[in-house]
Amino acid sequence: VIEEEEKLCQETKELILSLPREKGWRTSYLYLFQGFWCQLKEIEAIHSFQKHFQAKDSDVLVATVPKSGTTWLKALTFAIVNRQHCSSFNKNHPLLTSNPHDLVPFFEYTVYGRHDKVPNLSNMCEPRIFGTHIPFASLPDSIKESNCKIIYICRNPFDTFVSSWFFVNKIKPKSLPTLALEEAFEMYCKGIVGFGPFWTHMLGYWKESIDRPNKVLFLKYENLKEDLNSHLKRVAEFLNCPFTLKEESDGVIENIIKVCSFETMKELEINKSGTFGRNFENRFLFRKGEIGDWVNYLSPSMVEKLSKVIEEKLGGSGLSF
Ligand code: A3P
C-alpha cells in the first residue's frame, strides 16, 4: 500500500485518509469512495474523469457491473455501431484482431488511468464508445446532461459472484494467497466488492432507465443469452441506428452474433495470448460463459443467504433475477 500511495497526488492522498476501507479481494484495501468500493488507483482516475470528461451527444457508454458480460457487450456495441464499415465479417474486422477492451476503452483504467496525463479525446472517431464500471450517481454531469446513450448490463448475482471469485484468483498478484470462496462470499454479501454494493449499482441504472428510457437501456446477461437477436435489434434502435430489412435479410445480425460469440472470441489469438495492459491476460476474460454455473460452487446456506440479500435490497424495485 505504501508503494501505491506514494504514486498518488497530494489531493488524493488527503482524500483517501478520510475514506472507510476494508480488506480488498486482490489489493490490500478497497476504499468506500462516493458510496462505492474501489481500489486506490481507481480513485485518482475516477476523480480525473469526473473533472475533465466532456460528453458529446453522439457518445455511447457501455456501463456494467464487473463480471456481468462487459467484454461481450462492448464487442456487440462496437459491432453494431461500426457495421457500415464492416458489414460482412472478414479477416479485417477489428474484433478479430483486438480485444473489445482495447476497442472500447474504460474511463477508469485506460482513458484516465494515467494520472500524469489528461488524455486528448478530440481525435477519436465518432461515435465514441467508452466503457465504465462506475455507478450512475458518480458519472460526470456532462454525461447525465448530454444526449449521449448508456447501455447497461448486469447479471444474476450468483453467477456474477462466482465469475468474480474465479477472475480475482487468476489475476491476483502471485504474492497474495488464494482468496477463499467463503471469505469472498461474505464480502460480496456485505456489498464489499469492486464498484459494489452490486445492488446500489444495479438500482442506480435501473431507476434511470425507467425515468429516462431513451438515455439508459437496461439489459441482463441472461436475457441476451436467451434471445440475442431481438436484444441486438433493441440496442440498435436505442442507438438510433436500427437494422434495415435489407441488413436483416443479408444476415448482418447473425454475423454480429457469431463474431461476438463466446466460442469465436475465446479462440482468437489476441484473446489467447494478448494482455490487458500490464494488468492481466485476456484469456482470463473467457471462462465458461454460461447461466447457472453457480450451482457447482455455492452451498445451500450460501444460496439462502444471498437470496435474502437480493430480496432485501432489490425487493419492491421491480428488478429481479
Ligand atoms: P463466467 O466467468 O461465468 O464464464 P466481464 O466481461 O464483465 O468481465 O464478464 C465475464 C463473464 O462473461 C465471464 O463469465 C465470461 O466467461 C463471460 N463472457 C466473456 N465473453 C463472453 C461472450 N462473448 N459471450 C458470453 N459470455 C461471455
Side-chain angles (χ1 to χ4, degrees):
V1 199
I2 291 168
E3 218 173 77
E4 280 176 47
E5 280 183 359
E6 271 167 6
K7 290 188 206 139
L8 300 171
C9 72
Q10 193 55 34
E11 194 188 341
T12 315
K13 275 184 195 166
E14 280 164 27
L15 168 77
I16 57 165
L17 283 176
S18 68
L19 298 177
R21 66 183 194 185
E22 291 279 347
K23 178 181 177 290
W25 287 46
R26 64 184 167 93
T27 49
S28 308
Y29 296 104
L30 277 173
Y31 294 81
L32 189 61
F33 173 66
Q34 299 181 353
F36 63 97
W37 294 96
C38 59
Q39 297 174 24
L40 215 45
K41 64 173 184 199
E42 290 158 355
I43 296 177
E44 196 151 58
I46 294 168
H47 210 55
S48 169
F49 163 56
Q50 291 173 335
K51 202 154 113 192
H52 299 291
F53 183 68
Q54 279 304 320
K56 295 185 182 183
D57 287 339
S58 59
D59 287 346
V60 178
L61 248 76
V62 175
T64 69
V65 175
K67 311 319 291 175
S68 290
T70 315
T71 317
W72 192 23
L73 186 60
K74 281 185 172 183
L76 293 167
T77 306
F78 181 91
I80 290 174
V81 168
N82 293 295
R83 68 189 191 270
Q84 307 83 323
H85 312 299
C86 35
S87 55
S88 71
F89 286 110
N90 55 34
K91 278 185 290 190
N92 296 326
H93 194 283
L95 278 164
L96 297 177
T97 46
S98 301
N99 179 269
H101 296 295
D102 292 324
L103 298 172
V104 179
F106 278 113
F107 285 125
E108 61 273 22
Y109 302 117
T110 316
V111 183
Y112 292 93
R114 284 193 51 188
H115 41 83
D116 54 334
K117 205 170 149 203
V118 177
N120 176 4
L121 305 176
S122 59
N123 53 4
M124 271 180 86
C125 291
E126 289 183 30
R128 307 181 300 180
I129 317 175
F130 299 102
T132 190
H133 291 316
I134 299 171
F136 184 81
S138 285
L139 294 178
D141 289 343
S142 100
I143 289 184
K144 294 178 184 165
E145 287 159 13
S146 76
N147 286 327
C148 76
K149 301 275 190 177
I150 303 177
I151 312 176
Y152 181 77
I153 195 167
C154 61
R155 184 184 191 186
N156 84 70
F158 297 94
D159 281 330
T160 311
F161 165 71
V162 169
S163 185
S164 306
W165 177 71
F166 269 107
F167 185 69
V168 159
N169 276 314
K170 281 177 192 154
I171 70 163
K172 69 171 182 56
K174 292 208 168 57
S175 55
L176 286 183
T178 302
L179 176 66
L181 183 81
E182 293 71 19
E183 187 184 355
F185 185 78
E186 289 307 313
M187 293 159 93
Y188 189 74
C189 288
K190 284 190 216 151
I192 305 167
V193 59
F195 301 93
F198 65 82
W199 53 87
T200 312
H201 201 284
M202 292 174 183
L203 288 174
Y205 285 96
W206 175 246
K207 288 191 180 129
E208 203 60 29
S209 75
I210 292 168
D211 293 348
R212 297 165 75 193
N214 293 327
K215 178 75 182 173
V216 179
L217 178 67
F218 192 98
L219 303 172
K220 290 184 202 160
Y221 182 90
E222 293 74 23
N223 295 345
L224 261 59
K225 287 286 279 190
E226 276 153 19
D227 182 2
L228 188 51
N229 193 300
S230 69
H231 281 87
L232 294 193
K233 288 185 196 162
R234 275 184 73 196
V235 171
E237 273 163 30
F238 174 75
L239 296 178
N240 296 325
C241 57
F243 291 103
T244 61
L245 287 176
K246 173 145 190 349
E247 282 180 312
E248 283 195 41
S249 58
D250 284 351
V252 172
I253 301 179
E254 296 311 319
N255 279 336
I256 293 175
I257 290 176
K258 192 162 169 237
V259 79
C260 298
S261 75
F262 180 84
E263 292 72 24
T264 303
M265 292 185 72
K266 189 181 163 82
E267 292 308 320
L268 295 173
E269 198 48 45
I270 182 70
N271 293 330
K272 287 205 282 196
S273 59
T275 60
F276 179 68
R278 277 182 289 163
N279 298 292
F280 57 80
E281 295 172 48
N282 289 341
R283 66 193 171 99
F284 297 145
L285 292 165
F286 307 92
R287 192 182 65 92
K288 276 195 176 172
E290 289 172 3
I291 300 174
D293 186 44
W294 58 266
V295 295
N296 299 312
Y297 301 95
L298 303 187
S299 68
S301 68
M302 286 170 149
V303 176
E304 196 188 327
K305 179 163 178 166
L306 186 51
S307 301
K308 272 194 191 144
V309 172
I310 295 170
E311 176 51 35
E312 196 185 304
K313 303 294 183 185
L314 300 183
S317 68
L319 176 60
S320 60
F321 291 94

